[in-house]
Amino acid sequence: MKVRGFGRLLKAANGFLYHFSRYCRHSNWMDSASDVERRNYQAVKIYHSLEKSLSFSNRNPSSGWANAQALMRLVSAASNAKRFGFHDKAGLHVLQQFISESESGRPEIASTLKDQIEKLPARPSSSDGIAGGVKQLTDAEMRRGTLDSPEEFFLSRFTLREFKPQVVSDDIVQRAVSLTMKTPSVCNRQAWHIYHTSDPSVRDAVLTLQSGNRGFGDKIPNIFIVTADLKAFMQGEEHYQHWIDGGMLAMSLVYSLHSLGVASCCLNWSQTPARDKRLREIVNIRDSHSIIMMIGAGWPSDNNTVCVSPRRPVSEVFSNLVKN
Ligand SMILES: Cc1cc2nc3c(=O)[nH]c(=O)nc-3n(C[C@H](O)[C@H](O)[C@H](O)COP(=O)(O)O)c2cc1C
């Protein structure tokens, strides 16, 4: 028993080393803005701090300017390269709002930044419709999301492992992914990528490497692979952040699908480094994308036998937080 335990520890160590080496190769610990994706993740990290500052009711207009200047450097890099990513564009928008709403705090810096924006060699086309910054939202508007019966929504979701044979169409898939994009993420970095297939040969190829689909994998019409991009993470303390943000995204996808009537089954990717590498050899998952999990999906049959999967009582998982 002891020997098996040590074997598990060794396996875990192998996994930690593999993921540490992936972190070294793909995360942005060098704080580099050289590629458009790394620069975009840096931009959102900075412009979100300006958005936050703009949202405070009691704000100091003389703070945040160092971040505004740092954002200007990234926007200039995008402009010089004539290549604006999504967050470069949103960043420029936020920068302009920040300057106009905080000008009184540091008029000299504001004027320099305005001048720099004016002289940018290239700008994103205004038709892109990418917003950013802050906006007003009433209590009534926020309450539009309140469900008449949250229990009906949450308690009617069950993992399905067998589905109707027809695939979920692309428009439903796209809608589910689009809803999923409202998932919160650290600094709104949205360091995600969702891969999808409804091709049985691709499904079979990836599911042979997944350990929890025996007996039903060939009955899954749609397969998603949820990943998180290591390029978005800079600070050493963020070494687990992509797992967290990726997990949040996966949960949202499950609920988005459920809201559209599509059933799903999460499929773990707690895998050995060898299998993780093998999967990357057979499908187009990018190197910097860490695989969070697979999700099988499809339409429920008219009648389904599901696992009850009883839930622990709230009293076991909830306590008041108190000072020691
Ligand atoms: C990260 C994760 C990985 C999972 N992996 C598998 C899997 O490999 N195979 C499987 O049949 N179910 C898998 N499940 C489904 C769980 O068994 C299921 O969610 C749990 O029993 C609760 O049941 P419910 O989803 O019906 O409420 C996974 C769930 C999660 C969240």
Side-chain angles (χ1 to χ4, degrees), residues 264-292:
S264 64
C265 176
C266 297
L267 297 166
N268 80 82
W269 192 247
S270 300
Q271 274 305 345
T272 58
R275 285 218 180 175
D276 194 73
K277 287 180 196 160
R278 180 75 192 122
L279 183 63
R280 292 164 192 285
E281 282 163 14
I282 63 173
V283 285
N284 58 336
I285 294 173
R286 286 176 47 194
D287 271 357
S288 64
H289 293 174
S290 291
I291 300 161
I292 308 298

Side-chain angles (χ1 to χ4, degrees), residues 16-42 189 191 195 227-236 238-239 242-243 273 276-277 280 285-291:
F16 283 130
L17 279 176
Y18 173 65
H19 288 293
F20 180 60
S21 106
R22 285 184 43 73
Y23 189 85
C24 296
R25 277 178 290 137
H26 302 299
S27 77
N28 198 9
W29 55 276
M30 293 284 277
D31 233 351
S32 145
S34 58
D35 86 45
V36 63
E37 288 167 340
R38 287 192 166 84
R39 185 183 69 233
N40 270 259
Y41 288 128
Q42 283 178 327
R189 263 175 264 179
Y195 297 85
T227 70
D229 191 356
L230 274 168
K231 282 188 180 184
F233 301 96
M234 299 127 206
Q235 270 106 341
E238 293 187 325
H239 55 289
H242 68 309
W243 302 118
D276 194 73
K277 287 180 196 160
R280 292 164 192 285
I285 294 173
R286 286 176 47 194
D287 271 357
S288 64
H289 293 174
S290 291
I291 300 161

Side-chain angles (χ1 to χ4, degrees), residues 157-159 161 210 212-213 216 265-268 293 307 309 311:
R157 187 204 57 78
F158 281 87
T159 290
R161 297 179 176 86
Q210 198 276 338
N213 69 90
F216 65 95
C265 176
C266 297
L267 297 166
N268 80 82
M293 68 178 82
C307 301
S309 301
R311 293 313 204 257

Side-chain angles (χ1 to χ4, degrees), residues 93-129:
H93 189 94
V94 174
L95 184 59
Q96 286 172 308
Q97 191 175 28
F98 180 82
I99 294 169
S100 81
E101 296 205 8
S102 321
E103 215 165 351
S104 61
R106 299 297 295 271
E108 344 65 63
I109 306 181
S111 154
T112 310
L113 289 174
K114 278 204 263 184
D115 198 41
Q116 287 171 333
I117 292 173
E118 193 64 35
K119 293 187 175 134
L120 282 175
R123 297 161 174 278
S125 70
S126 52
S127 60
D128 281 336

Side-chain angles (χ1 to χ4, degrees), residues 75-314:
V75 170
S76 297
S79 179
N80 288 332
K82 296 192 173 43
R83 190 154 175 222
F84 284 88
F86 179 90
H87 287 310
D88 293 320
K89 294 174 193 169
L92 177 57
H93 189 94
V94 174
L95 184 59
Q96 286 172 308
Q97 191 175 28
F98 180 82
I99 294 169
S100 81
E101 296 205 8
S102 321
E103 215 165 351
S104 61
R106 299 297 295 271
E108 344 65 63
I109 306 181
S111 154
T112 310
L113 289 174
K114 278 204 263 184
D115 198 41
Q116 287 171 333
I117 292 173
E118 193 64 35
K119 293 187 175 134
L120 282 175
R123 297 161 174 278
S125 70
S126 52
S127 60
D128 281 336
I130 296 172
V134 288
K135 65 174 197 169
Q136 298 307 311
L137 200 63
T138 63
D139 178 32
E141 284 169 317
M142 290 206 82
R143 282 173 192 268
R144 283 189 319 185
T146 308
L147 300 174
D148 287 339
S149 172
E151 286 77 10
E152 277 202 18
F153 179 73
F154 284 92
L155 304 183
S156 60
R157 187 204 57 78
F158 281 87
T159 290
L160 277 203
R161 297 179 176 86
E162 294 180 17
F163 307 85
K164 279 192 180 147
Q166 76 252 36
V167 300
V168 178
S169 62
D170 276 348
D171 55 329
I172 301 274
V173 166
Q174 292 294 321
R175 189 168 172 205
V177 172
S178 167
L179 291 170
T180 304
M181 289 308 294
K182 193 66 180 85
T183 305
S185 60
V186 68
C187 306
N188 195 29
R189 263 175 264 179
Q190 306 166 58
W192 302 309
H193 199 91
I194 298 173
Y195 297 85
H196 169 259
T197 184
S198 54
D199 176 333
S201 71
V202 181
R203 173 199 66 196
D204 293 347
V206 300
L207 288 188
T208 45
L209 295 170
Q210 198 276 338
S211 48
N213 69 90
R214 198 170 307 140
F216 65 95
D218 59 341
K219 298 184 181 125
I220 303 177
N222 296 66
I223 293 283
F224 297 89
I225 301 186
V226 175
T227 70
D229 191 356
L230 274 168
K231 282 188 180 184
F233 301 96
M234 299 127 206
Q235 270 106 341
E237 302 89 322
E238 293 187 325
H239 55 289
Y240 285 138
Q241 193 60 48
H242 68 309
W243 302 118
I244 296 163
D245 286 9
M248 300 272 296
L249 184 80
M251 187 69 254
S252 286
L253 179 56
V254 166
Y255 276 130
S256 301
L257 291 166
H258 181 54
S259 76
L260 298 170
V262 179
S264 64
C265 176
C266 297
L267 297 166
N268 80 82
W269 192 247
S270 300
Q271 274 305 345
T272 58
R275 285 218 180 175
D276 194 73
K277 287 180 196 160
R278 180 75 192 122
L279 183 63
R280 292 164 192 285
E281 282 163 14
I282 63 173
V283 285
N284 58 336
I285 294 173
R286 286 176 47 194
D287 271 357
S288 64
H289 293 174
S290 291
I291 300 161
I292 308 298
M293 68 178 82
M294 299 184 184
I295 297 178
W299 296 109
S301 302
D302 292 344
N303 291 295
N304 306 275
T305 304
V306 297
C307 301
V308 172
S309 301
R311 293 313 204 257
R312 295 166 67 189
V314 171

